[in-house]
Amino acid sequence: MNYTRRAFLRQAAIGLASIGVSQTAMAAAAHRYHQALAAPSPGRKLALLVGIDNYPNTVHSSDSPLGPLSLSGAVTDVHLQRELLVYRFGFKPDDVQMLVDGDATRQAIEETFLNHLVKQAEPGDLVVFHFSGLGSQVEVVNDDQTSSEIKNSLVPVDGTLPTKGQPFLNDIMADTLHLLVRSLNTEQVITFLDTGYSSPKEWQNGYFQLRSRSTVPSGQLQPDEQSLQSQLIKQTRLNKETISNRPYPGLLLNATDASHGVVECRWNEFSAGLFTYVLTQQLWWCDADTSLPMKVSVAGAKAEQLVGSPYQLRLSGTKTDKISIKTQRFQPIQSTTADGVVTSQNAESSLMQVFLGGVPPAVLNHYGVTSVFRCGSEANRKSDANSEKLKGTRTPATVPISSPTGDGLQSPPPEQMNQETNEAAASSDKKDLSNPTASPNDDAVQFTYVQLRSREGLYGQGRAVNGPSTDRLSVAGQLLFEHIRVLPKNISLNVALDSQLERIERVDATSALSNVGKISSVVAKEQSADVLFGKSLPSSISQDDVEEDVPDSSSSSESDRPPDSAGYGLFYLSRVSIPNTLDRSEEAVKTAVQRLESKLRSLLAAKLLRLTENQGSSLLGVQATLEMLVPQERILLQQTTFRSPWNPPESRLAQLLVNDGKVPSVPMGSKIRYRVQNYGDRPVYCVLVGVDSSDNIFIVHPSEALGSNKDDASVDDDSRIRPGEMLALPQSNTSAEWTVSGPEGLAETYVICSREPLTTMTQELVKAMRPMGNFRQMSMLSDATDPTDVMQAMLADLDKTSRNGETNTFGVTSDAYALHMERYASLSFIYRVV
């Protein structure tokens, strides 16, 4: 391995700080992460990314209760980070070094850190270090074996355990990493650790793979590890005892604190670290006007929905106490949001390799291969509804187009890509983009389409269709923007069968679940799953493992806690019980499945609802605000479509928004209201669909006349929002009140706006809605109603309004849903009921 040579270690300091916080930390940390990445810098941007999946059995004890500790998502994390750094933040590919699997030995990681980062980094440079793999707690025995100390460590691929013949630990000590980071000659440092140090018992039987050893090895440090530490300590002139009391320089991001589990999750066709995936996906969706803390708090909430308990982040660093999370802004290299990027193109076949890191994880699981992306200047793309000049059009830069040469895959030189991108950004504001009838040959409105031809996980192949010639399009780094989202109509809820069930129980469960429409049983940890079916554990999670300031929805009431005697029920993938699904009495498996059928259908309906989310890709001009009216009046959340060609309105409501980076907490008994504003040029039709903290589906329709003799046109008119108008739900001129009920936990509401009325869904609501109190606009779906019918009706309406000559041109068949980003918007609001 060849290393670039510069001056050796310049500066070192010591320490390891520990500050454990939850959603606030996640939002603040990601804000600092993005801000540091995107900040203009006269120097270089250097990164070292380490990911290890294929661990040998020698890295852990043979009696580990977790079994083999090989991972399957750490290498994916490395690629998620690399694509983000290169294509969204302008890192040169040659400046991003990766060590994966067998190459990630202790010596290689430490030497590459020294040679690639320490020797090359100058003051003002930006340095990123990322590690995904196993972590551990180890007992470090001193040289004379008279005392020992528990320390945290990172496990390299050759992190073999001590033996009688070889008494040394071969891990990378957290103290060593800390000293390496301190040896960098720049303050712009981000250390990203998607690894854990403990294995909570309540997570060991879950669906996730924990990223930690379950045992605490004991041994001495390797002599060269001690030598490296001594060298760095000597240069810093600090005492060894002070290392653990010093904060990391720059910013340290851990997926969670030392007492909680760190997990990787399996999606269809690939696995990834839960925190790395949700964070990088949100960063693809951030633009120059986005307040990042609020966005990433939503990402944390989505991770919590999957895990079933608060997924916490550990944040520390030299400037932690100075982090401000009030409406901070950032400037990425390319100012527009994106759903993916063209990474390369085959000169012979013209097929493009595409990376889809910006597509929401839940959506990507079911992404159809005929989906269509725009490729070009996203801000200059006109909605087909525009009938007058666009005002305030955003003008993000795009990567210029160049032709590949030779046979194989080619990317433009990194220097050219970054230089031309910045030049495009500087010149784009000078172009007149207000004329929607501009010639299609005008560079200001030049774009083409890329249709997905195949996909495997995060990567796919696409072909240019219906646009400029292929040689004008082909360039690595060209951003992709969702145009038509294609989803199958046969989506099912995947129920993993707990591995602790007896064989006969699994056979009976498989048979019983097959009799429930659109419910599929899968093998736990081997296939993508939505929920677990299994038995309760003998005892519930200890309250000592739950932070006092974060409610645990699984322990909100005595009836929701796992009973002392085993009973069947549904669980989140972390094996935290889903409220109101466990039964204390003895029952047969088939009886349990029949009892849970209504809940399973609600969970499937919620899954279908989440597939509509498109805040980052919709072109409608829609803004929605969640307000609390009682016990105190304040703004909880505000969501706006990012890619609308119209600038969102500024209002008094936005100034009242308390943006502290937390998932908003709403006390039971509070009264809330949504305001939906249309700042586009044509009417939209609106409905609210929600999932309460018990995973039940509810609907909020603007019309109070559903089911009456009022004609359909009048009912549709109640849901129409004209350009420049705002709709309040419940409406302020009625006596209706929206009162938040329990239990404690996360609730989610989607504001659905469409260019055309949702008539099929309205017809289903007439049959299904059961009014709640005096609020006739809001109803829970009746017990006799299958909520999936209502969600499928909604998808059918969105498909109908999306169908036009364009979808036929692209060959999107009628056996799939086609959701056009110019025809609807779906904004997600997540809040915590307390």
Side-chain angles (χ1 to χ4, degrees):
M1 186 178 295
N2 295 322
Y3 299 108
T4 305
R5 297 183 178 272
R6 281 192 185 183
F8 194 60
L9 303 174
R10 299 179 176 88
Q11 199 177 11
I14 311 173
L16 183 62
S18 54
I19 303 174
V21 287
S22 54
Q23 298 295 345
T24 304
M26 181 177 291
H31 171 71
R32 285 290 305 278
Y33 180 49
H34 194 293
Q35 190 176 49
L37 290 175
S41 173
R44 299 175 67 182
K45 297 181 177 182
L46 301 167
L48 172 58
L49 313 177
V50 180
I52 308 171
D53 283 335
N54 297 323
Y55 281 98
N57 291 333
T58 53
V59 303
H60 69 103
S61 173
S62 59
D63 60 355
S64 169
L66 301 183
L69 289 183
S70 289
L71 305 176
S72 55
V75 175
T76 302
D77 291 357
V78 166
H79 290 285
L80 284 165
Q81 284 281 21
R82 182 199 179 273
E83 310 294 32
L84 180 76
L85 296 179
V86 170
Y87 296 115
R88 287 291 280 143
F89 298 106
F91 281 62
K92 296 177 182 179
D94 289 345
D95 286 337
V96 180
Q97 291 288 308
M98 299 189 297
L99 292 174
V100 299
D101 286 339
D103 293 331
T105 64
R106 180 180 63 84
Q107 183 177 359
I109 294 171
E110 292 175 349
E111 287 185 353
T112 306
F113 196 108
L114 289 170
N115 288 282
H116 180 63
L117 301 181
V118 175
K119 290 185 178 181
Q120 297 194 90
E122 300 287 352
D125 288 353
L126 173 62
V127 173
V128 173
F129 175 76
H130 178 105
F131 180 87
S132 283
L134 293 176
S136 182
Q137 287 187 326
V138 295
E139 183 183 18
V140 180
V141 181
N142 66 0
D143 291 339
D144 58 11
Q145 299 187 6
T146 60
S147 63
S148 63
E149 186 177 4
I150 300 298
K151 295 280 191 177
N152 293 335
S153 69
L154 308 181
V155 182
V157 73
D158 59 345
T160 55
L161 298 179
T163 63
K164 290 183 179 180
Q166 194 281 107
F168 298 108
L169 295 162
N170 204 45
D171 289 3
I172 298 174
M173 304 307 298
D175 288 348
T176 304
L177 176 62
H178 187 180
L179 290 168
L180 286 168
V181 173
R182 281 208 167 267
S183 69
L184 292 162
N185 195 29
T186 178
E187 295 181 356
Q188 304 300 317
V189 185
I190 303 170
T191 307
F192 196 109
L193 304 178
D194 200 344
T195 187
Y197 306 114
S198 64
S199 300
K201 291 182 179 180
E202 64 272 15
W203 285 36
Q204 292 180 8
N205 297 307
Y207 176 85
F208 299 113
Q209 175 66 59
L210 283 162
R211 288 187 169 179
S212 52
R213 283 193 182 117
S214 60
T215 58
V216 180
S218 177
Q220 297 173 263
L221 292 185
Q222 287 282 2
D224 56 348
E225 183 88 355
Q226 293 188 57
S227 176
L228 178 59
Q229 284 191 7
S230 298
Q231 180 183 3
L232 298 175
I233 288 173
K234 181 178 179 181
Q235 293 177 8
T236 60
R237 300 180 181 178
L238 295 174
N239 296 325
K240 184 175 182 179
E241 290 73 18
T242 64
I243 295 178
S244 299
N245 297 321
R246 291 294 183 109
Y248 260 68
L251 182 66
L252 170 64
L253 293 172
N254 279 357
T256 188
D257 64 30
S259 64
H260 289 76
V262 174
V263 299
E264 62 181 29
C265 185
R266 181 172 182 82
W267 284 267
N268 282 344
E269 302 169 329
F270 72 97
S271 296
L274 179 58
F275 182 71
T276 297
Y277 191 14
V278 296
L279 177 61
T280 55
Q281 189 274 320
Q282 287 296 313
L283 293 180
W284 278 92
W285 266 15
C286 289
D287 67 8
D289 296 321
T290 301
S291 177
L292 190 65
M294 189 61 69
K295 279 190 58 59
V296 180
S297 70
V298 173
K302 290 183 179 297
E304 181 177 337
Q305 285 179 325
L306 192 64
V307 173
S309 61
Y311 198 68
Q312 300 168 348
L313 173 71
R314 179 187 175 101
L315 166 68
S316 63
T318 56
K319 299 180 180 179
T320 300
D321 58 337
K322 300 179 182 178
I323 293 178
S324 172
I325 56 174
K326 293 182 179 178
T327 61
Q328 296 281 347
R329 306 297 180 190
F330 54 88
Q331 294 292 334
I333 295 300
Q334 295 158 328
S335 59
T336 185
T337 69
D339 301 299
V341 66
V342 178
T343 59
S344 60
Q345 182 174 13
N346 187 296
E348 293 182 351
S349 67
S350 297
L351 283 175
M352 304 169 196
Q353 176 88 355
V354 298
F355 175 74
L356 304 178
V359 176
V363 176
L364 186 64
N365 256 355
H366 300 281
Y367 217 64
V369 294
T370 54
S371 297
V372 182
F373 297 86
R374 285 186 297 275
C375 189
S377 182
E378 165 64 21
N380 305 334
R381 176 69 175 110
K382 304 176 298 299
S383 168
D384 63 1
N386 288 351
S387 59
E388 60 183 25
K389 292 184 178 182
L390 303 180
K391 309 251 185 195
T393 305
R394 301 173 185 172
T395 57
T398 58
V399 179
I401 295 170
S402 61
S403 303
T405 57
D407 50 5
L409 304 176
Q410 175 178 325
S411 302
E415 296 83 356
Q416 174 187 337
M417 185 171 71
N418 293 324
Q419 177 183 355
E420 293 179 343
T421 298
N422 293 333
E423 290 174 354
S427 63
S428 62
D429 290 336
K430 301 177 183 178
K431 298 178 181 179
D432 180 10
L433 305 177
S434 62
N435 184 4
T437 61
S439 167
N441 295 323
D442 191 302
D443 287 340
V445 293
Q446 191 67 59
F447 66 93
T448 193
Y449 297 108
V450 174
Q451 187 164 32
L452 201 61
R453 298 298 191 185
S454 64
R455 182 181 66 83
E456 184 174 354
L458 288 157
Y459 290 89
Q461 288 190 322
R463 187 186 299 276
V465 292
N466 254 19
S469 60
T470 302
D471 63 345
R472 240 184 102 70
L473 172 68
S474 56
V475 59
Q478 187 75 44
L479 296 181
L480 297 176
F481 313 97
E482 258 197 302
H483 187 58
I484 299 175
R485 178 184 299 176
V486 177
L487 300 171
K489 291 185 176 181
N490 60 344
I491 295 172
S492 61
L493 184 76
N494 293 333
V495 182
L497 303 182
D498 194 341
S499 58
Q500 292 188 342
L501 293 175
E502 299 291 339
R503 181 179 180 277
I504 186 60
E505 292 175 306
R506 292 198 297 273
V507 171
D508 288 347
T510 300
S511 175
L513 289 169
S514 66
N515 294 325
V516 183
K518 297 193 174 181
I519 306 296
S520 302
S521 59
V522 298
V523 179
K525 296 188 179 182
E526 295 183 12
Q527 298 169 278
S528 177
D530 301 303
V531 294
L532 282 170
F533 173 83
K535 283 185 176 181
S536 59
L537 298 176
S539 60
S540 62
I541 298 172
S542 171
Q543 282 300 114
D544 294 337
D545 296 329
V546 182
E547 288 194 18
E548 294 181 359
D549 60 338
V550 181
D552 183 355
S553 62
S554 68
S555 304
S556 59
S557 66
E558 183 66 28
S559 61
D560 294 335
R561 298 176 185 173
D564 293 334
S565 59
Y568 296 111
L570 297 175
F571 301 82
Y572 297 105
L573 298 183
S574 63
R575 223 187 181 290
V576 172
S577 62
I578 295 177
N580 302 317
T581 64
L582 290 172
D583 194 311
R584 293 178 180 272
S585 61
E586 293 186 7
E587 60 181 342
V589 170
K590 293 184 178 180
T591 303
V593 171
Q594 292 173 354
R595 172 176 58 82
L596 296 169
E597 182 174 341
S598 176
K599 177 65 69 174
L600 289 169
R601 294 192 183 282
S602 292
L603 292 169
L604 174 57
K607 178 179 179 177
L608 296 176
L609 174 61
R610 289 165 183 148
L611 293 178
T612 66
E613 181 183 5
N614 70 342
Q615 180 186 12
S617 47
S618 173
L619 293 179
L620 292 190
V622 176
Q623 185 175 82
T625 306
L626 171 58
E627 309 172 37
M628 180 190 292
L629 304 178
V630 175
Q632 65 181 92
E633 189 172 355
R634 64 188 181 97
I635 306 302
L636 298 174
L637 277 172
Q638 188 173 78
Q639 306 284 25
T640 304
T641 49
F642 298 147
R643 296 183 194 156
S644 167
W646 302 274
N647 287 328
E650 295 184 3
S651 65
R652 178 183 63 86
L653 293 177
Q655 299 173 357
L656 296 176
L657 178 63
V658 179
N659 187 4
D660 60 1
K662 295 181 180 180
V663 175
S665 294
V666 182
M668 284 181 273
S670 301
K671 301 186 187 306
I672 62 174
R673 177 174 61 193
Y674 284 85
R675 291 182 182 270
V676 186
Q677 185 169 5
N678 176 12
Y679 61 92
D681 73 331
R682 289 193 177 184
V684 297
Y685 297 83
C686 176
V687 66
L688 272 62
V689 186
V691 184
D692 68 14
S693 53
S694 289
D695 292 314
N696 297 315
I697 305 296
F698 64 87
I699 311 289
V700 183
H701 196 283
S703 178
E704 296 192 33
L706 289 180
S708 69
N709 294 327
K710 200 172 182 181
D711 59 63
D712 292 341
S714 299
V715 171
D716 290 335
D717 189 65
D718 291 339
S719 67
R720 182 171 60 181
I721 311 175
R722 295 176 176 83
E725 291 186 350
M726 181 182 294
L727 175 68
L729 286 172
Q731 298 177 28
S732 57
N733 60 351
T734 70
S735 60
E737 293 182 337
W738 184 339
T739 303
V740 176
S741 59
E744 295 180 352
L746 290 183
E748 184 174 16
T749 302
Y750 281 77
V751 176
I752 310 288
C753 294
S754 171
R755 286 290 192 196
E756 296 179 7
L758 302 172
T759 53
T760 308
M761 182 182 187
T762 301
Q763 292 169 4
E764 286 292 328
L765 292 179
V766 170
K767 299 182 294 183
M769 292 181 77
R770 176 165 47 87
M772 298 176 63
N774 68 337
F775 189 1
R776 289 181 291 166
Q777 295 171 321
M778 179 178 181
S779 295
M780 301 295 294
L781 299 185
S782 64
D783 295 336
T785 302
D786 185 347
T788 59
D789 291 341
V790 179
M791 296 301 101
Q792 288 173 329
M794 178 190 66
L795 288 169
D797 283 329
L798 296 180
D799 175 82
K800 180 180 178 182
T801 191
S802 298
R803 293 281 176 177
N804 52 29
E806 191 177 39
T807 53
N808 294 332
T809 300
F810 289 126
V812 181
T813 61
S814 59
D815 60 355
Y817 295 118
L819 307 184
H820 203 302
M821 298 301 111
E822 293 181 348
R823 305 297 297 173
Y824 88 102
S826 178
L827 307 180
S828 170
F829 289 77
I830 301 178
Y831 55 90
R832 191 186 307 282
V833 178
V834 297

